[in-house]
Amino acid sequence: MELREILAISGQPGLYKFVAQSMRGVIVESLVDGRRMNAAASSKVSALTEISMFTEGDDIPLAEVFTKIYTHYEGKEAISHKECAEKLQAAFAEVLPEYDRERVHVSDIKKCFAWYNLLVKAGFTEFKTGDEEAQEE
């Protein structure tokens, strides 16, 4: 399973694995409970490889942020997304000190840690995009 197959659906909690294209949208499988559902074509569906975080310099792809979190927490789960805002911001600053504190909201940090923890529980150890793998070959 690659990171480009993992989707976030607006209005739906958690992350989903792309299964197939359907006539009315895409069929996805929840990483939390394995249930399949149809994500309507009108839903805002984003692949994790398309999302990035604001920094003081260039934006950093979410895959790189996940890699930094993975390294910082030595492959274990990170801080819970349910912690208080101050703890989350401090933990995120340890992992990504150059993040833009004005444009990255606490809700973004919560989502980042929640998604990272879901991916680690699902067995992810590398957060490569399909583009990186194609460049290596």
Side-chain angles (χ1 to χ4, degrees):
M1 187 168 27
E2 296 177 7
L3 199 58
R4 65 186 163 119
E5 297 174 341
I6 306 301
L7 308 172
I9 302 171
S10 182
Q12 298 289 329
L15 294 174
Y16 299 85
K17 177 183 167 194
F18 173 82
V19 176
Q21 189 75 35
S22 71
M23 289 177 52
R24 296 188 177 117
V26 292
I27 299 171
V28 294
E29 182 178 295
S30 171
L31 288 183
V32 176
D33 59 14
R35 291 186 180 168
R36 289 187 178 192
M37 68 177 213
N38 185 56
S42 60
S43 298
K44 184 173 187 239
V45 178
S46 302
L48 293 190
T49 55
E50 299 170 355
I51 301 171
S52 59
M53 283 287 197
F54 295 119
T55 66
E56 299 296 333
D58 293 335
D59 296 349
I60 294 181
L62 197 56
E64 282 185 40
V65 176
F66 287 157
T67 301
K68 289 179 182 236
I69 295 171
Y70 188 84
T71 303
H72 183 77
Y73 286 96
E74 299 173 347
K76 298 180 180 110
E77 285 189 36
I79 185 173
S80 171
H81 66 283
K82 295 179 181 178
E83 291 287 344
C84 69
E86 294 79 22
K87 283 185 180 180
L88 287 168
Q89 289 171 321
F92 200 69
E94 287 178 20
V95 174
L96 191 66
E98 68 273 17
Y99 87 93
D100 189 331
R101 281 146 178 84
E102 291 180 17
R103 296 193 293 172
V104 177
H105 303 269
V106 174
S107 61
D108 301 326
I109 295 171
K110 282 183 177 188
K111 208 176 281 188
C112 181
F113 281 126
W115 288 351
Y116 168 81
N117 287 336
L118 269 174
L119 291 170
V120 168
K121 283 180 187 174
F124 271 83
T125 57
E126 289 187 347
F127 302 97
K128 291 185 178 182
T129 62
D131 300 336
E132 293 169 350
E133 292 170 3
Q135 288 175 357
E136 290 175 4
E137 293 174 2

